[in-house]
Amino acid sequence: MSATTTDESATRPEETASGRPGGTFLGKSTRRWLLLGIGLALALSLPWFIYPPIALDIACWALFAVALDLLLGYAGLLSFGHAAFWGGSAYVTGLVAIKMGLPFPLAVLAGMLFAMALAAPIGFMSAKRSGIYFAMVTLAFGQMLYFVVNQWRDLTGGENGLQGVPINFFGIEAIEDEPFYFYYAALPLILLGMWFAWRVVHSPFGRVLVATRDNPARARALGYNVEKYRVMVFVLSAGLAGLAGGIFALGHGFVSLQEVAWQTSGKVVLVTVLGGIGTLWGAIIGAAIIVLLEDFLASAGFDGIGIITGAVFIVVVLLFRSGVWGTVANWVARRSGKKVETDAIGAADSEQGL
Amino acid sequence: MNSFLQYTVQGLAAGSFYALAALGLAIIFGVLGVVNFAHGACYMLGAIVAARLQDLIGLDFWLALIVVPILMFIFGVAIERLLVSRLIQLDPLYNFLLTFGLTLLLVDLVKRQYGVSGLPYARPEILSGQFSVGDVRLPVFQVFVFVFSLLVCAAVWLLMTRTRIGMIVRASTEKPDLTRSLGVDVGRWVTPVFGFGIALAGLAGVLASPFRAITADMGSNFIIILFAVVVIGGLGSIVGAVVAGFLVGLVEAFGQAYAPQLSQIMIFMLMAAVILWRPAGLFGREETA
C-alpha cells in the first residue's frame, strides 16, 4: 500500500528463511500448537467462568473480527461496512428461524449465504479502489442496508427490531433454551469459521492476497487479476462475518437495528485494530477485551460507552498501532533480537503469531 | 410545476449543508491526505455550540455565523496539533481510524452532557416566513441558506484561485515535494488548512441549527452522506465536492417528495452509478491504483 511496505516485504522472506528457529522461545511449530491448545482450552472453558451469553458474544465478535482481519490484515483493505454482512445475516437467520423453524445451523447457513450474495456486488464496486476510498465506499454501501432494514418494517420490525428469534435444534431443550449449552452447540461453527480463515491465509490464495496488498502493480504484472482476488476475499470475509452475525442473533433471541448500523462496522474495526492487524489471534483477544469492557461499563451503569471506546481507539492508533497481540509479539521478538515492525496496516507479517 | 420549484429550493438548501461540509472535507484531504471521519461530529458541534451560546449569552444567529466557525477553527487547530499531525507520515488509514475514535468520543460526550432530545434554537424573525415568486411560496430560510452557502463556496474558490495563499495551498496539494524545493514551507499551511476545513463543517452546523433537530446524533447520518458526496464528486476535488453536495441535496429532496421510502437509498444508488461509470468521481482525476 505504501512505499515502506514493499521494502519490508522484500526483506521478509530472507528473514524467515534464515530461520533463527524460535530464538529463545520454543520452536515455531511447537509454539503454534501450544497457542492452539491454550486457545481451544479457553474457548471450551469460557462459559464456566463467564456468564454464558457474554461468552457467546465474545466468540461471535472474535469470528467477526477474524473475518474483518482477513480483509484488512491480509488484503490490506479496510472495510467500514461489515455491519451489513453481520447484521444482514443476523436478520436473515432470525427470519428463517422464525418463519421456517429450521434447525439453527441451517438458519445460520441461510444468513451466511445472504451475506455472501450481498457482498458480491458491493465488493465488485468497492474493489475498483483501494485505501481510503475503499473504506468510504464500503461504509456508504453498508449504510444502504441500514436504510432498507429500517424502511422494510413489515419484515424487519424497523426500529423495534426482530423479536422472538427461536433456536431450533430437533427439540433438544437444553440447547434450545439454555445459553450454556447453546454456547457448546454453536462453538463448532465458530471454530470452523476460524479454521477456514486460517486455511485461507495459509493457502496459495492467501499468498497472492498478501502480494496484491504489498505491491498491486507487481501482482498485476505477474498475471494476477488483483480486482478479482479482492472481490473473492471480500465475499469470503462477508461470509464469515455472516456466520458470526447469525449465531449472535440466535444467542440474543432478537435482532436490533444496531447490528446493521455503521457504529457496528466501526466497532469490529476497533476490535481488530486493538487486537493487532494481520494476526488472527489478535482479533480474538481484541474481541474479548471489548466485549468484557462494554459489559463491565453497561453493568456499572455508565451510559457513555463511546467515550471510553473512542478514547481507547485514539490511544491504540497513536501509541500501539500493532495492537495487543502485535505489541506482545514484538516484545518477544525484541528479546530474541529480531527486527521489529511498527507499521501494522499493510505491513503485518502474515505468519506472525500463527 | 409549483411543487417542482419548491422541491428544488428545498433540495438546494439541504445540499448547502453537504456542499459546505464536503468543501471542508475536500480541502483537508487535498492538503493533508486525511479523510476526516469526525467531520460529521464537527458539524454537530457547530450546531451545539451555536445553541448553547444562544442560551448562555444570547448570541444571535448572525453573530454565531462568525463566532462559531472561529471557535471551530481553534478546535480544529488543536486536534491537528495534538493528534492528527502525529500520524501524518503514516498510511492515511490511521488518521481515518483516529478521527473515527474521536467521533465516538465527541458524540457520546455531547450525549452525556445534553441528552438525546434536541436543544432548542430560536430562528431569527426575518428568516421565518415565506415569500412569493409569482404564485409559488418559498420558505425564506431555505433560500437564505442556499444563497449564503453559495457565497461562501464562491469566496473559498476565489481564495484558492486568486490569492497567494490559495496558490500555495493548491501547489502543496498537487506537488508537495516540488513546492517545498521552491522554498515554500508546506508544513506551515497544514495546520491552518485543517482548522479551516473544520470551521466549514462548523459553519454548516450553525446554518443548520435553526433548521434541523440539534442532537448529538445529527452528524452520524450526515457523515455517511458526506462520504457519498465526496465519492460522487471525486475525493480532493473542490468543485466536485460543491457540485455533488447540491446534487445529493436535490436527490434527497425529490426522493422525499416522490418516493419517501427510497430517498436515502437513492443517494447510494447514485454513488454506485458514479463508481461504475467514473470510478474517480465526476470531477476526480483518474489515478493508477
Side-chain angles (χ1 to χ4, degrees), chain B residues 41-93:
Chain B
C42 293
Y43 162 81
M44 175 270 289
L45 276 185
I48 293 276
V49 170
R52 288 306 297 151
L53 286 180
Q54 190 186 53
D55 192 37
L56 290 173
I57 58 170
L59 187 81
D60 73 4
F61 178 69
W62 308 105
L63 277 174
L65 283 176
I66 299 164
V67 173
V68 175
I70 293 173
L71 293 175
M72 292 305 292
F73 177 83
I74 296 167
F75 177 71
V77 166
I79 294 294
E80 202 281 334
R81 283 289 87 202
L82 290 173
L83 303 172
V84 173
S85 64
R86 290 169 202 277
L87 297 173
I88 210 84
Q89 305 292 341
L90 301 173
D91 194 299
L93 283 176

Side-chain angles (χ1 to χ4, degrees), chain A residues 1 129 262 303 306-307 344-345, chain B residues 87 91 94 105 108 112 220 279:
Chain A
M1 202 183 304
R129 309 302 296 267
W262 63 259
D303 60 352
I307 300 171
I345 290 183
Chain B
L87 297 173
D91 194 299
Y94 283 115
L105 186 73
D108 268 23
R112 233 173 120 73
S220 304

Side-chain angles (χ1 to χ4, degrees), chain A residues 2-21:
Chain A
S2 59
T4 52
T5 45
T6 41
D7 296 342
E8 276 169 289
S9 67
T11 60
R12 203 178 296 144
E14 181 193 335
E15 206 178 299
T16 40
S18 69
R20 238 179 283 265

Side-chain angles (χ1 to χ4, degrees), chain A residues 21-291:
Chain A
T24 56
F25 208 73
L26 305 169
K28 195 163 187 115
S29 75
T30 324
R31 195 169 53 185
R32 185 179 291 173
W33 284 111
L34 190 70
L35 277 170
L36 197 61
I38 295 173
L40 269 178
L42 270 175
L44 286 170
S45 59
L46 204 57
W48 289 89
F49 53 89
I50 291 178
Y51 184 52
I54 299 293
L56 188 65
D57 278 8
I58 293 176
C60 290
W61 274 96
L63 180 58
F64 191 14
V66 163
L68 186 90
D69 203 22
L70 192 59
L71 205 54
L72 176 59
Y74 299 93
L77 298 170
L78 172 61
S79 166
F80 234 93
H82 254 47
F85 312 124
W86 155 274
S89 165
Y91 273 99
V92 171
T93 303
L95 284 169
V96 168
I98 291 172
K99 307 216 159 166
M100 301 169 77
L102 293 175
F104 83 87
L106 288 176
V108 173
L109 182 68
M112 201 175 144
L113 290 175
F114 171 78
M116 292 172 84
L118 184 67
I122 294 180
F124 175 73
M125 281 185 275
S126 312
K128 290 181 179 294
R129 309 302 296 267
S130 61
I132 205 84
Y133 241 102
F134 188 88
M136 292 167 61
V137 171
T138 47
L139 178 62
F141 280 127
Q143 195 65 4
M144 204 164 148
L145 185 74
Y146 176 88
F147 287 118
V148 172
V149 169
N150 195 13
Q151 293 289 347
W152 204 345
R153 291 203 175 81
D154 304 338
L155 192 68
T156 62
E159 281 173 7
N160 297 325
L162 196 63
Q163 310 276 350
V165 175
I167 297 166
N168 306 303
F169 201 63
F170 309 110
I172 302 174
E173 279 178 21
I175 289 174
E176 290 183 350
D177 297 334
E178 287 189 43
F180 182 84
Y181 293 106
F182 179 63
Y183 176 88
Y184 287 104
L187 192 63
L189 294 178
I190 302 243
L191 292 178
L192 200 66
M194 287 180 178
W195 174 80
F196 182 78
W198 187 86
R199 277 306 306 155
V200 168
V201 167
H202 291 85
S203 66
F205 175 79
R207 302 312 300 172
V208 177
L209 274 186
V210 173
T212 66
R213 174 195 80 189
D214 289 341
N215 196 333
R218 193 184 293 169
R220 204 169 277 129
L222 286 170
Y224 293 110
N225 185 340
V226 172
E227 280 72 30
K228 202 177 97 188
Y229 274 87
R230 285 181 178 158
V231 175
M232 280 163 76
V233 71
F234 192 77
V235 171
L236 291 178
S237 167
L240 291 178
L243 175 60
I247 295 172
F248 186 84
L250 294 168
H252 282 246
F254 70 91
V255 188
S256 78
L257 205 50
Q258 184 63 35
E259 308 315 332
V260 283
W262 63 259
Q263 286 84 353
T264 298
S265 300
K267 186 174 158 188
V268 72
V269 174
L270 167 63
V271 166
T272 309
V273 175
L274 175 67
I277 298 165
T279 64
L280 298 179
W281 282 112
I284 298 169
I285 290 177
I289 295 174
I290 291 296
V291 170

Side-chain angles (χ1 to χ4, degrees), chain B residues 17 21 24-25 28 36-50 68-69 71-77 79-80 84 99 102-107 110 194-208 214-220 222-223 226:
Chain B
F17 308 130
L25 202 61
I28 291 175
N36 177 27
F37 202 112
H39 224 61
C42 293
Y43 162 81
M44 175 270 289
L45 276 185
I48 293 276
V49 170
V68 175
L71 293 175
M72 292 305 292
F73 177 83
I74 296 167
F75 177 71
V77 166
I79 294 294
E80 202 281 334
V84 173
T99 49
L102 190 64
T103 305
L104 295 180
L105 186 73
L106 289 173
V107 169
V110 170
F194 192 86
F196 185 67
I198 299 292
L200 280 174
L203 180 64
V206 181
L207 212 51
I214 306 173
T215 67
D217 282 322
M218 70 187 285
S220 304
F222 189 81
I223 185 65
L226 213 52

Side-chain angles (χ1 to χ4, degrees), chain B residues 104-181:
Chain B
L104 295 180
L105 186 73
L106 289 173
V107 169
D108 268 23
L109 274 176
V110 170
K111 209 176 275 179
R112 233 173 120 73
Q113 192 68 31
Y114 302 114
V116 284
S117 55
L119 296 179
Y121 196 85
R123 191 185 288 200
E125 201 60 40
I126 190 170
L127 295 176
S128 298
Q130 296 186 317
F131 72 95
S132 307
V133 181
D135 54 349
V136 186
R137 297 180 62 76
L138 298 171
V140 177
F141 194 76
Q142 290 181 353
V143 177
F144 165 76
V145 166
F146 173 58
V147 173
F148 182 85
S149 70
L150 212 55
L151 288 176
V152 173
C153 291
V156 172
W157 190 74
L158 286 176
L159 186 75
M160 296 295 277
T161 54
R162 295 278 184 274
T163 66
R164 195 177 156 70
I165 295 174
M167 195 177 75
I168 292 170
V169 168
R170 277 184 303 136
S172 20
T173 308
E174 302 203 351
K175 296 254 161 58
D177 292 333
L178 188 61
T179 314
R180 213 171 273 128
S181 62

